[in-house]
Coordinates of all heavy atoms in Angstrom, one line a residue:
M316 N 0.8 -1.2 0.0 CA 0.0 0.0 0.0 C 0.9 1.3 0.0 O 1.8 1.4 0.8 CB -0.9 0.0 1.2 CG -2.2 0.8 1.0 SD -3.3 0.6 2.4 CE -3.1 2.2 3.2
I317 N 0.5 2.2 -0.9 CA 1.3 3.4 -1.0 C 0.6 4.4 0.0 O -0.6 4.7 -0.1 CB 1.3 4.0 -2.4 CG1 1.8 2.9 -3.4 CG2 2.2 5.2 -2.5 CD1 1.3 3.2 -4.8
D318 N 1.5 4.9 0.9 CA 0.9 5.9 1.9 C 1.2 7.3 1.5 O 2.2 7.9 1.9 CB 1.6 5.6 3.2 CG 0.6 5.8 4.4 OD1 -0.6 6.0 4.1 OD2 1.0 5.8 5.5
T319 N 0.4 7.8 0.6 CA 0.6 9.2 0.1 C 0.1 10.1 1.2 O -0.7 9.7 2.0 CB -0.3 9.4 -1.2 OG1 -1.6 9.2 -0.9 CG2 0.2 8.4 -2.3
P320 N 0.6 11.4 1.1 CA 0.1 12.3 2.1 C -1.4 12.5 2.1 O -2.0 12.7 3.1 CB 0.8 13.6 1.7 CG 2.0 13.2 0.9 CD 1.6 11.9 0.2
R321 N -1.9 12.4 0.9 CA -3.4 12.5 0.7 C -4.1 11.4 1.4 O -5.1 11.7 2.1 CB -3.7 12.5 -0.8 CG -5.1 13.1 -1.1 CD -5.4 12.7 -2.6 NE -6.8 12.6 -2.7 CZ -7.6 13.6 -3.1 NH1 -7.1 14.8 -3.3 NH2 -8.9 13.4 -3.2
A322 N -3.6 10.2 1.2 CA -4.3 9.0 1.9 C -4.2 9.2 3.4 O -5.1 8.8 4.1 CB -3.6 7.7 1.4
K323 N -3.0 9.7 3.8 CA -2.8 9.9 5.3 C -3.8 10.9 5.8 O -4.4 10.7 6.9 CB -1.4 10.4 5.5 CG -0.6 9.6 6.5 CD 0.8 10.2 6.6 CE 1.8 9.2 6.9 NZ 3.2 9.7 6.9
A324 N -4.0 12.0 5.1 CA -4.9 13.0 5.5 C -6.3 12.5 5.6 O -7.1 12.8 6.4 CB -4.8 14.2 4.6
C325 N -6.7 11.7 4.6 CA -8.0 11.1 4.4 C -8.3 10.2 5.6 O -9.4 10.3 6.2 CB -8.1 10.4 3.1 SG -9.8 10.0 2.7
R326 N -7.3 9.4 6.0 CA -7.5 8.5 7.1 C -7.6 9.2 8.4 O -8.4 8.8 9.2 CB -6.3 7.5 7.1 CG -6.6 6.2 7.8 CD -5.7 5.1 7.5 NE -4.3 5.5 7.7 CZ -3.3 5.3 6.9 NH1 -3.5 4.8 5.7 NH2 -2.1 5.7 7.2
K327 N -6.8 10.3 8.5 CA -6.8 11.1 9.7 C -8.2 11.7 9.9 O -8.7 11.7 11.0 CB -5.7 12.2 9.5 CG -5.1 12.6 10.9 CD -3.9 13.5 10.6 CE -3.5 14.2 11.8 NZ -2.4 15.2 11.5
Y328 N -8.7 12.2 8.8 CA -10.1 12.8 8.8 C -11.1 11.8 9.3 O -11.9 12.1 10.1 CB -10.4 13.4 7.4 CG -11.8 13.9 7.3 CD1 -12.1 15.2 7.6 CD2 -12.9 13.1 6.9 CE1 -13.4 15.7 7.6 CE2 -14.1 13.6 6.8 CZ -14.4 14.9 7.1 OH -15.6 15.4 7.1
Y329 N -11.0 10.6 8.7 CA -12.0 9.6 9.0 C -11.9 9.2 10.5 O -12.9 9.2 11.2 CB -11.8 8.3 8.2 CG -12.7 7.2 8.6 CD1 -14.0 7.2 8.3 CD2 -12.1 6.1 9.3 CE1 -14.8 6.1 8.7 CE2 -13.0 5.1 9.7 CZ -14.3 5.1 9.4 OH -15.1 4.1 9.8
E330 N -10.6 9.0 11.0 CA -10.4 8.7 12.4 C -11.0 9.7 13.3 O -11.6 9.4 14.4 CB -8.9 8.4 12.7 CG -8.4 7.1 12.1 CD -9.1 5.8 12.6 OE1 -9.5 5.9 13.8 OE2 -9.3 4.9 11.9
K331 N -10.7 11.0 12.9 CA -11.2 12.1 13.7 C -12.7 12.2 13.8 O -13.2 12.6 14.8 CB -10.6 13.4 13.1 CG -10.5 14.6 14.1 CD -9.8 15.7 13.4 CE -10.4 17.1 13.9 NZ -10.0 18.2 13.0
N332 N -13.3 11.9 12.7 CA -14.8 12.1 12.6 C -15.6 10.8 13.0 O -16.8 10.9 13.2 CB -15.2 12.5 11.2 CG -14.8 14.0 11.0 OD1 -15.4 14.9 11.5 ND2 -13.6 14.2 10.4
K333 N -14.9 9.7 13.0 CA -15.5 8.4 13.3 C -16.3 8.4 14.6 O -17.5 8.1 14.6 CB -14.5 7.3 13.3 CG -15.1 5.9 13.3 CD -14.1 4.8 13.1 CE -13.1 4.7 14.3 NZ -12.2 3.6 14.1
V334 N -15.7 8.9 15.6 CA -16.3 8.9 16.9 C -17.5 9.9 16.9 O -18.6 9.5 17.4 CB -15.3 9.3 18.0 CG1 -16.0 9.4 19.4 CG2 -14.2 8.3 18.0
S335 N -17.3 11.1 16.4 CA -18.5 12.0 16.4 C -19.6 11.6 15.5 O -20.8 11.8 15.8 CB -18.0 13.4 16.0 OG -17.6 13.4 14.6
L336 N -19.3 10.9 14.5 CA -20.4 10.3 13.6 C -21.1 9.2 14.3 O -22.4 9.2 14.3 CB -19.8 9.7 12.3 CG -19.3 10.7 11.3 CD1 -18.6 10.0 10.1 CD2 -20.5 11.5 10.7
L337 N -20.4 8.4 15.0 CA -21.1 7.3 15.8 C -22.0 7.9 16.9 O -23.1 7.5 17.1 CB -20.1 6.4 16.4 CG -19.4 5.4 15.5 CD1 -18.3 4.7 16.1 CD2 -20.4 4.4 14.9
I338 N -21.4 8.9 17.6 CA -22.2 9.6 18.7 C -23.5 10.2 18.1 O -24.5 10.1 18.7 CB -21.3 10.6 19.4 CG1 -20.3 9.9 20.2 CG2 -22.2 11.5 20.3 CD1 -19.2 10.8 20.8
R339 N -23.3 10.9 17.0 CA -24.4 11.5 16.4 C -25.6 10.5 16.0 O -26.7 10.8 16.2 CB -24.0 12.3 15.1 CG -24.7 13.6 15.0 CD -24.2 14.4 13.8 NE -22.8 14.9 13.9 CZ -22.1 15.2 12.9 NH1 -22.6 15.2 11.7 NH2 -20.9 15.6 13.0
N340 N -25.2 9.4 15.5 CA -26.2 8.3 15.2 C -26.9 7.9 16.4 O -28.1 7.7 16.4 CB -25.5 7.1 14.6 CG -25.5 7.2 13.1 OD1 -26.5 7.7 12.5 ND2 -24.6 6.7 12.4
K341 N -26.1 7.6 17.5 CA -26.7 7.1 18.7 C -27.6 8.2 19.3 O -28.7 7.8 19.8 CB -25.5 6.9 19.7 CG -25.9 6.0 20.9 CD -24.6 5.7 21.7 CE -24.9 4.7 22.8 NZ -25.6 5.4 24.0
E342 N -27.2 9.4 19.2 CA -28.0 10.5 19.8 C -29.3 10.6 19.0 O -30.4 10.8 19.6 CB -27.2 11.9 19.6 CG -26.4 12.1 20.8 CD -25.5 13.4 20.6 OE1 -25.6 14.0 19.6 OE2 -24.8 13.7 21.6
Y343 N -29.2 10.5 17.7 CA -30.4 10.6 16.9 C -31.5 9.6 17.3 O -32.7 9.9 17.5 CB -30.1 10.4 15.4 CG -31.4 10.4 14.6 CD1 -31.9 11.7 14.2 CD2 -32.1 9.3 14.2 CE1 -33.1 11.7 13.4 CE2 -33.2 9.3 13.4 CZ -33.7 10.6 13.1 OH -34.9 10.6 12.4
R344 N -31.0 8.3 17.5 CA -32.0 7.3 17.9 C -32.5 7.5 19.3 O -33.6 7.0 19.6 CB -31.3 5.9 17.8 CG -31.1 5.4 16.4 CD -30.8 4.0 16.4 NE -29.6 3.7 17.2 CZ -28.4 3.6 16.8 NH1 -28.1 3.7 15.5 NH2 -27.4 3.3 17.5
E345 N -31.7 8.2 20.2 CA -32.2 8.3 21.6 C -33.0 9.6 21.8 O -33.4 9.8 22.9 CB -30.9 8.2 22.5 CG -30.5 6.8 22.6 CD -29.2 6.6 23.4 OE1 -28.7 7.6 23.8 OE2 -28.8 5.4 23.6
I346 N -33.1 10.4 20.9 CA -33.9 11.6 21.0 C -35.4 11.2 21.0 O -35.9 10.6 20.1 CB -33.6 12.7 20.0 CG1 -32.2 13.3 20.2 CG2 -34.7 13.8 20.0 CD1 -31.7 14.1 19.0
P347 N -36.1 11.6 22.1 CA -37.5 11.1 22.2 C -38.4 11.5 21.1 O -39.3 10.8 20.6 CB -38.0 11.8 23.5 CG -36.8 12.0 24.3 CD -35.7 12.3 23.3
E348 N -38.2 12.7 20.5 CA -39.0 13.2 19.4 C -38.9 12.3 18.2 O -39.8 12.0 17.5 CB -38.7 14.6 19.0 CG -39.1 15.7 20.0 CD -38.0 16.0 20.9 OE1 -37.1 16.8 20.5 OE2 -38.0 15.6 22.1
N349 N -37.6 11.8 18.0 CA -37.4 10.9 16.8 C -38.0 9.6 17.1 O -38.6 9.0 16.1 CB -35.9 10.8 16.6 CG -35.2 12.1 16.2 OD1 -35.9 12.9 15.6 ND2 -34.0 12.2 16.5
K350 N -38.0 9.1 18.3 CA -38.6 7.8 18.6 C -40.1 7.9 18.4 O -40.7 7.0 17.8 CB -38.4 7.5 20.1 CG -37.1 6.8 20.4 CD -37.0 6.3 21.8 CE -35.7 5.7 22.2 NZ -35.6 5.5 23.6
Q351 N -40.7 9.1 18.7 CA -42.1 9.2 18.6 C -42.5 9.4 17.1 O -43.5 8.8 16.7 CB -42.6 10.5 19.3 CG -43.3 10.1 20.6 CD -43.7 11.3 21.5 OE1 -43.4 12.4 21.1 NE2 -44.3 11.0 22.5
A352 N -41.7 10.0 16.3 CA -41.9 10.1 14.9 C -42.0 8.7 14.3 O -42.8 8.5 13.4 CB -40.9 11.0 14.3
I353 N -41.0 7.9 14.7 CA -41.0 6.5 14.1 C -42.2 5.8 14.6 O -42.8 5.1 13.8 CB -39.7 5.8 14.6 CG1 -38.4 6.5 14.0 CG2 -39.7 4.3 14.2 CD1 -37.1 6.2 14.7
K354 N -42.6 5.9 15.8 CA -43.8 5.2 16.4 C -45.0 5.7 15.7 O -45.9 4.9 15.3 CB -43.8 5.6 17.9 CG -44.5 4.5 18.7 CD -44.4 4.8 20.2 CE -45.3 3.9 21.0 NZ -45.2 4.3 22.4
K355 N -45.1 7.0 15.5 CA -46.3 7.6 14.9 C -46.5 7.1 13.5 O -47.6 6.7 13.1 CB -46.1 9.1 14.8 CG -47.4 9.9 14.7 CD -47.1 11.4 14.8 CE -48.3 12.2 14.3 NZ -48.0 13.7 14.2
Q356 N -45.4 7.0 12.8 CA -45.5 6.5 11.4 C -45.9 5.0 11.4 O -46.7 4.6 10.5 CB -44.1 6.6 10.8 CG -44.1 6.6 9.2 CD -42.8 6.6 8.6 OE1 -41.8 6.4 9.3 NE2 -42.7 6.8 7.4
R357 N -45.5 4.3 12.4 CA -45.8 2.9 12.5 C -47.3 2.7 12.8 O -47.9 1.7 12.5 CB -44.9 2.2 13.6 CG -44.4 0.9 13.1 CD -43.5 0.3 14.2 NE -42.1 0.6 13.9 CZ -41.1 0.5 14.8 NH1 -41.4 0.1 16.0 NH2 -39.9 0.7 14.4
N358 N -47.8 3.7 13.6 CA -49.2 3.5 14.1 C -50.2 4.3 13.2 O -51.4 4.4 13.6 CB -49.3 4.0 15.5 CG -48.7 3.1 16.5 OD1 -48.7 1.8 16.2 ND2 -48.1 3.6 17.6
Q359 N -49.7 4.8 12.1 CA -50.6 5.5 11.2 C -51.7 4.6 10.7 O -51.5 3.4 10.3 CB -49.8 6.0 10.0 CG -50.6 7.1 9.2 CD -49.9 7.4 7.9 OE1 -48.7 7.1 7.7 NE2 -50.5 8.2 7.1
K360 N -53.0 5.0 10.8 CA -54.1 4.2 10.4 C -54.5 4.4 9.0 O -54.5 5.5 8.5 CB -55.3 4.5 11.4 CG -55.1 3.9 12.7 CD -56.4 3.8 13.5 CE -56.2 3.0 14.8 NZ -55.5 3.9 15.8
F361 N -54.9 3.3 8.4 CA -55.4 3.3 7.0 C -56.8 2.8 7.0 O -57.1 1.9 7.7 CB -54.5 2.5 6.1 CG -53.1 3.0 5.9 CD1 -52.1 2.5 6.8 CD2 -52.8 3.8 4.9 CE1 -50.8 2.9 6.7 CE2 -51.5 4.3 4.8 CZ -50.5 3.8 5.7
K362 N -57.6 3.4 6.1 CA -59.0 2.9 5.9 C -59.0 1.9 4.8 O -58.4 2.1 3.8 CB -59.9 4.1 5.6 CG -60.5 4.8 6.8 CD -61.5 5.8 6.3 CE -61.9 6.7 7.4 NZ -62.8 7.9 7.0
C363 N -59.7 0.8 5.1 CA -59.8 -0.2 4.1 C -61.1 -0.1 3.4 O -62.1 0.4 3.9 CB -59.6 -1.6 4.8 SG -59.5 -2.9 3.6
E364 N -61.1 -0.6 2.2 CA -62.4 -0.6 1.4 C -63.5 -1.4 2.0 O -64.6 -1.3 1.7 CB -62.1 -1.0 0.0 CG -61.5 0.1 -0.9 CD -61.1 -0.4 -2.2 OE1 -62.0 -0.3 -3.1 OE2 -60.0 -0.9 -2.4
C365 N -63.1 -2.4 2.9 CA -64.1 -3.2 3.6 C -64.7 -2.5 4.7 O -65.7 -3.0 5.3 CB -63.4 -4.5 4.1 SG -62.4 -4.2 5.5
G366 N -64.3 -1.3 5.0 CA -64.9 -0.5 6.0 C -64.1 -0.5 7.3 O -64.3 0.1 8.3
G367 N -63.1 -1.4 7.3 CA -62.2 -1.6 8.5 C -61.0 -0.6 8.4 O -60.8 0.1 7.5
K368 N -60.3 -0.7 9.5 CA -59.1 0.2 9.6 C -57.9 -0.7 10.0 O -58.1 -1.7 10.7 CB -59.2 1.2 10.7 CG -60.0 2.4 10.2 CD -60.2 3.4 11.4 CE -61.2 4.5 11.0 NZ -61.6 5.2 12.2
F369 N -56.8 -0.3 9.6 CA -55.6 -1.1 9.9 C -54.4 -0.2 10.0 O -54.4 0.9 9.4 CB -55.3 -2.2 9.0 CG -55.1 -1.8 7.5 CD1 -53.9 -1.4 7.1 CD2 -56.2 -1.8 6.7 CE1 -53.7 -1.0 5.7 CE2 -56.1 -1.4 5.4 CZ -54.8 -1.0 4.9
T370 N -53.3 -0.6 10.7 CA -52.1 0.2 10.7 C -51.1 -0.5 9.8 O -51.3 -1.7 9.4 CB -51.5 0.2 12.2 OG1 -51.2 -1.1 12.6 CG2 -52.4 0.9 13.1
Q371 N -50.1 0.2 9.4 CA -49.1 -0.3 8.5 C -48.6 -1.7 8.9 O -48.5 -2.6 8.1 CB -47.9 0.7 8.5 CG -46.8 0.3 7.5 CD -47.2 0.8 6.1 OE1 -47.3 2.0 5.8 NE2 -47.3 -0.1 5.1
T372 N -48.3 -1.8 10.2 CA -47.8 -3.1 10.7 C -48.8 -4.2 10.7 O -48.4 -5.4 10.7 CB -47.2 -2.9 12.2 OG1 -48.1 -2.1 12.9 CG2 -45.8 -2.3 12.2
H373 N -50.1 -3.8 10.8 CA -51.1 -4.9 10.8 C -51.8 -5.1 9.5 O -52.9 -5.7 9.5 CB -52.1 -4.6 12.0 CG -51.4 -4.8 13.3 ND1 -51.6 -3.8 14.3 CD2 -50.5 -5.7 13.8 CE1 -50.9 -4.2 15.4 NE2 -50.2 -5.3 15.1
R374 N -51.3 -4.5 8.5 CA -51.9 -4.6 7.2 C -52.2 -6.0 6.7 O -53.3 -6.4 6.4 CB -51.0 -3.9 6.1 CG -51.7 -3.7 4.8 CD -50.7 -3.1 3.8 NE -51.5 -2.5 2.7 CZ -51.3 -1.2 2.4 NH1 -50.5 -0.5 3.0 NH2 -52.1 -0.7 1.4
L375 N -51.2 -6.8 6.8 CA -51.3 -8.2 6.4 C -52.3 -9.0 7.3 O -53.2 -9.7 6.8 CB -50.0 -8.9 6.5 CG -49.9 -10.3 5.7 CD1 -50.0 -10.1 4.2 CD2 -48.6 -11.0 6.1
R376 N -52.3 -8.7 8.6 CA -53.2 -9.3 9.5 C -54.6 -8.9 9.2 O -55.5 -9.7 9.3 CB -52.8 -8.9 11.0 CG -53.4 -9.8 12.0 CD -52.9 -9.5 13.4 NE -53.6 -8.3 13.9 CZ -53.4 -7.8 15.2 NH1 -52.5 -8.4 16.0 NH2 -54.1 -6.8 15.6
H377 N -54.8 -7.7 8.9 CA -56.1 -7.2 8.6 C -56.7 -7.9 7.3 O -57.9 -8.3 7.3 CB -56.1 -5.7 8.3 CG -57.5 -5.2 7.8 ND1 -58.6 -5.0 8.6 CD2 -57.8 -5.0 6.5 CE1 -59.6 -4.7 7.8 NE2 -59.2 -4.6 6.5
T378 N -55.9 -8.1 6.3 CA -56.4 -8.7 5.1 C -56.8 -10.2 5.4 O -57.6 -10.8 4.6 CB -55.4 -8.7 4.0 OG1 -54.2 -9.4 4.4 CG2 -55.0 -7.3 3.6
K379 N -56.4 -10.7 6.4 CA -56.7 -12.1 6.8 C -57.9 -12.2 7.8 O -58.4 -13.2 8.1 CB -55.5 -12.8 7.4 CG -54.5 -13.2 6.4 CD -53.2 -13.8 7.0 CE -52.2 -14.1 6.0 NZ -50.9 -14.5 6.7
S380 N -58.3 -11.0 8.2 CA -59.4 -10.9 9.3 C -60.7 -11.3 8.7 O -60.9 -11.2 7.4 CB -59.4 -9.5 9.9 OG -60.0 -8.6 8.9
N381 N -61.7 -11.7 9.5 CA -63.0 -12.1 9.1 C -63.7 -11.0 8.3 O -64.3 -11.2 7.3 CB -63.8 -12.6 10.3 CG -63.5 -14.0 10.7 OD1 -63.1 -14.8 9.9 ND2 -63.7 -14.3 11.9
K382 N -63.6 -9.8 8.9 CA -64.3 -8.6 8.4 C -63.8 -8.4 6.9 O -64.7 -8.2 6.0 CB -64.0 -7.4 9.2 CG -64.7 -6.2 8.8 CD -64.5 -5.0 9.7 CE -65.4 -3.9 9.3 NZ -65.4 -2.8 10.3
H383 N -62.5 -8.5 6.7 CA -62.0 -8.2 5.4 C -62.4 -9.4 4.5 O -62.7 -9.2 3.3 CB -60.5 -8.0 5.5 CG -59.9 -7.5 4.2 ND1 -59.9 -6.2 3.9 CD2 -59.4 -8.2 3.1 CE1 -59.3 -6.0 2.7 NE2 -59.0 -7.2 2.2
Q384 N -62.2 -10.6 5.0 CA -62.5 -11.8 4.1 C -64.0 -11.8 3.7 O -64.3 -12.2 2.6 CB -62.1 -13.0 4.9 CG -60.6 -13.3 5.0 CD -60.0 -13.4 3.6 OE1 -60.4 -14.1 2.7 NE2 -58.9 -12.7 3.4
N385 N -64.9 -11.4 4.6 CA -66.3 -11.4 4.3 C -66.6 -10.4 3.2 O -67.4 -10.6 2.3 CB -67.1 -11.0 5.5 CG -67.2 -12.2 6.5 OD1 -67.1 -13.4 6.0 ND2 -67.5 -12.0 7.7
W386 N -65.9 -9.3 3.3 CA -66.0 -8.2 2.2 C -65.5 -8.7 0.9 O -66.1 -8.5 -0.1 CB -65.2 -7.0 2.7 CG -65.2 -5.9 1.6 CD1 -66.2 -5.1 1.3 CD2 -64.1 -5.5 0.8 NE1 -65.8 -4.2 0.3 CE2 -64.5 -4.5 0.0 CE3 -62.8 -6.0 0.7 CZ2 -63.6 -3.9 -0.9 CZ3 -61.9 -5.4 -0.2 CH2 -62.4 -4.3 -1.0
V387 N -64.4 -9.4 0.9 CA -63.8 -10.0 -0.3 C -64.8 -11.0 -0.9 O -65.1 -11.0 -2.2 CB -62.5 -10.7 -0.1 CG1 -62.0 -11.5 -1.3 CG2 -61.4 -9.7 0.4
K388 N -65.4 -11.8 -0.1 CA -66.4 -12.8 -0.5 C -67.6 -12.1 -1.1 O -68.2 -12.5 -2.2 CB -66.9 -13.7 0.6 CG -66.0 -14.9 0.8 CD -66.5 -15.7 2.0 CE -65.3 -16.5 2.6 NZ -65.7 -16.9 4.0
S389 N -68.1 -11.0 -0.5 CA -69.3 -10.3 -0.9 C -69.0 -9.6 -2.3 O -69.9 -9.4 -3.1 CB -69.7 -9.2 0.1 OG -68.8 -8.1 0.0
L390 N -67.8 -9.4 -2.6 CA -67.4 -8.8 -3.9 C -67.6 -9.8 -5.0 O -68.0 -9.5 -6.1 CB -66.0 -8.3 -3.9 CG -65.7 -6.9 -3.3 CD1 -64.2 -6.6 -3.5 CD2 -66.5 -5.8 -3.9
S391 N -67.2 -11.1 -4.7 CA -67.2 -12.1 -5.8 C -68.6 -12.6 -6.1 O -68.8 -13.3 -7.0 CB -66.3 -13.2 -5.4 OG -66.6 -13.7 -4.1
N392 N -69.6 -12.3 -5.2 CA -70.9 -12.7 -5.3 C -71.7 -11.9 -6.4 O -71.5 -10.7 -6.4 CB -71.7 -12.7 -4.0 CG -71.3 -13.8 -3.1 OD1 -70.7 -14.8 -3.6 ND2 -71.5 -13.7 -1.8
Ligands
ZN729 ZN1 -60.2 -4.7 4.9

């Protein structure tokens, strides 16, 4: 490996910023507002055409529910 002054400077920059970058990431995840924004997005409710509601995380579970399945059946009749 050729250790040019440029490569040396680049590595120095990375080493210097590595720690602060890691801290910044950790801080971001630990800020309550950010946690809430993630939670809020996860709990966002969607209206289904069957008349039901579901959240992003329970979308699949909803499509398997009786309410939704009955609606699907009523469409094919
Ligand atoms: Zn539905």
Side-chain angles (χ1 to χ4, degrees):
M316 207 174 105
I317 309 157
D318 215 10
T319 62
R321 197 193 151 91
K323 229 180 216 174
C325 193
R326 203 162 56 228
K327 213 172 167 186
Y328 174 86
Y329 174 77
E330 287 298 327
K331 200 177 150 195
N332 289 279
K333 190 168 72 177
V334 179
S335 69
L336 284 172
L337 285 173
I338 289 168
R339 221 177 290 160
N340 263 329
K341 195 173 185 283
E342 273 175 0
Y343 178 82
R344 284 194 307 264
E345 284 177 358
I346 290 169
E348 288 95 78
N349 293 333
K350 273 188 187 172
Q351 256 176 357
I353 294 163
K354 207 172 171 184
K355 202 174 166 187
Q356 202 182 11
R357 222 176 266 166
N358 289 328
Q359 195 187 350
K360 286 197 173 76
F361 294 91
K362 272 187 190 171
C363 186
E364 282 177 88
C365 73
K368 280 177 191 168
F369 58 87
T370 60
Q371 184 85 59
T372 38
H373 293 135
R374 190 186 202 120
L375 193 71
R376 196 175 79 177
H377 170 78
T378 60
K379 287 176 182 171
S380 70
N381 281 333
K382 187 174 184 171
H383 191 88
Q384 285 302 314
N385 285 336
W386 174 74
V387 171
K388 270 179 211 160
S389 76
L390 280 183
S391 55
N392 287 336

